[in-house]
Amino acid sequence: MDLSGRVAIVTGSGRGIGRGIAMVLASHGADVVISDINPDTAGKTSEEIRSLGRKSIAAAGDVSKKADVERLVSEALDAFGKVDILVNNAGITRDYLIEKMPEEAWDSVLNVNLKSFYLTIQAVMPVMVKSKFGRVINISSKACWVGNMGQANYNSAKAGALSLTMTAAREFGRYVVKEGCDMTCNAIMPGFIDTEMTQAVPEKVRQIMLSQIPLNRPGTPEDVGNVVLFLASRYGSYVNGAIIPVDGGFWMAM
Ligand code: NAP
């Protein structure tokens, strides 16, 4: 699965799953734009990618803001001239029971976990159509199918990301048919992946979750990156509108 010559944008890739995805894509030949709200972590991941011999730039910004997304895509085009792969990974949690959830917690989670996906897809679509190749991979979550308590905002955003994926997959199909493009849009549903986001989960809950995973271990960011790699490669060209769990079989506990 050689991605040499491909250019990827991975949002929220300063750390966690996004960083793992960026490293896997780069280690298979892709040049990567590290997009993150934190310029320090973005710069660090970008530096690590350059040390692999790939090209990389760090693009700091808030992907829930249209102006920042437009700047992100324009910085990618200035540096590389195209965008072949977009991985929508940036995400946050602000957990509250519905009764107690402040409006700000609803809005910020929906904005980062869902609105940003629409903004980035809208911004890269004409670029992908022009080069006749595009892969969009949206990171959703198993949480949206099980209605985790205290996560109405997060679950709603992640469910919305699945629906957005299917609509984009159909709309991309028009360019495949009319203009001979090779374009797909798919979603990944990670289960329990070891990152700073899940380190906040209390140990008791962590043990219950692990007991429900047939492979009996949390996933790694690289486990998610390996599936992104397949979808981004030419071997993924007939997978479109799919929702793929990467969770060691955790989905069977739903
Ligand atoms: P994480 O460790 O919290 O990392 C998220 C990254 O996104 C951070 O680098 C963060 O920057 C960045 N970010 C936050 N808001 C942003 C914004 N507005 N614009 C640009 N970047 C932003 O999370 P993770 O565990 O790696 O999760 C990554 C994705 O996978 C999320 O969409 C999450 O919902 C999903 N997911 C995770 C799991 C899991 O088990 N970990 C399971 C299912 C789905 P800062 O460093 O400044 O915060």
Side-chain angles (χ1 to χ4, degrees):
M1 288 194 236
D2 182 15
L3 297 185
S4 298
R6 295 287 184 215
V7 175
I9 294 178
V10 184
T11 71
S13 51
R15 62 184 172 94
I17 294 175
R19 179 187 165 280
I21 292 169
M23 295 305 288
V24 169
L25 296 182
S27 60
H28 286 79
D31 297 325
V32 188
V33 178
I34 303 299
S35 147
D36 205 285
I37 199 160
N38 183 332
D40 297 335
T41 55
K44 208 168 148 230
T45 305
S46 188
E47 183 62 48
E48 285 178 82
I49 286 178
R50 285 193 294 275
S51 73
L52 294 176
R54 302 273 78 81
K55 292 182 195 141
S56 177
I57 58 165
D62 179 348
V63 286
S64 69
K65 300 216 159 66
K66 190 176 168 80
D68 286 19
V69 168
E70 286 174 349
R71 186 161 41 83
L72 163 66
V73 174
S74 125
E75 283 174 14
L77 292 176
D78 286 348
F80 301 112
K82 61 176 185 164
V83 177
D84 301 302
I85 301 158
L86 165 68
V87 186
N88 276 317
N89 164 83
I92 58 169
T93 52
R94 298 278 185 277
D95 295 356
Y96 295 91
L97 295 173
I98 295 170
E99 294 167 79
K100 295 185 175 163
M101 185 174 292
E103 189 178 353
E104 180 281 328
W106 177 272
D107 288 345
S108 57
V109 169
L110 268 287
N111 286 342
V112 177
N113 295 43
L114 180 58
K115 183 184 171 194
S116 74
F117 289 23
Y118 134 74
L119 288 173
T120 52
I121 293 172
Q122 187 178 60
V124 299
M125 230 170 131
V127 179
M128 290 177 168
V129 170
K130 197 171 165 204
S131 66
K132 295 197 181 297
F133 182 90
R135 296 280 189 269
V136 175
I137 297 117
N138 295 323
I139 305 299
S140 175
S141 173
K142 174 191 187 285
C144 75
W145 278 6
V146 292
N148 283 352
M149 287 219 343
Q151 293 199 304
N153 49 1
Y154 183 78
N155 297 337
S156 302
K158 292 300 188 184
L162 297 183
S163 206
L164 173 65
T165 298
M166 291 186 281
T167 301
R170 285 188 191 276
E171 295 188 10
F172 281 15
R174 290 165 62 226
Y175 293 104
V176 175
V177 173
K178 278 191 192 161
E179 305 197 21
C181 298
D182 177 1
M183 283 172 64
T184 64
C185 182
N186 292 289
I188 289 178
M189 288 205 308
F192 189 71
I193 311 294
D194 241 342
T195 67
E196 283 179 42
M197 188 182 267
T198 47
Q199 277 155 19
V201 173
E203 186 55 27
K204 202 171 151 198
V205 178
R206 182 185 168 88
Q207 288 308 323
I208 294 170
M209 289 172 99
L210 284 177
S211 73
Q212 294 176 341
I213 301 172
L215 298 188
N216 199 238
R217 69 163 175 88
T220 65
E222 292 70 29
D223 288 326
V224 180
N226 289 334
V227 179
V228 171
L229 168 65
F230 164 72
L231 291 171
S233 76
R234 64 195 171 95
Y235 298 109
S237 62
Y238 199 59
V239 183
N240 190 34
I243 297 166
I244 304 178
V246 180
D247 64 359
F250 196 15
W251 71 271
M252 293 185 285
M254 289 192 295

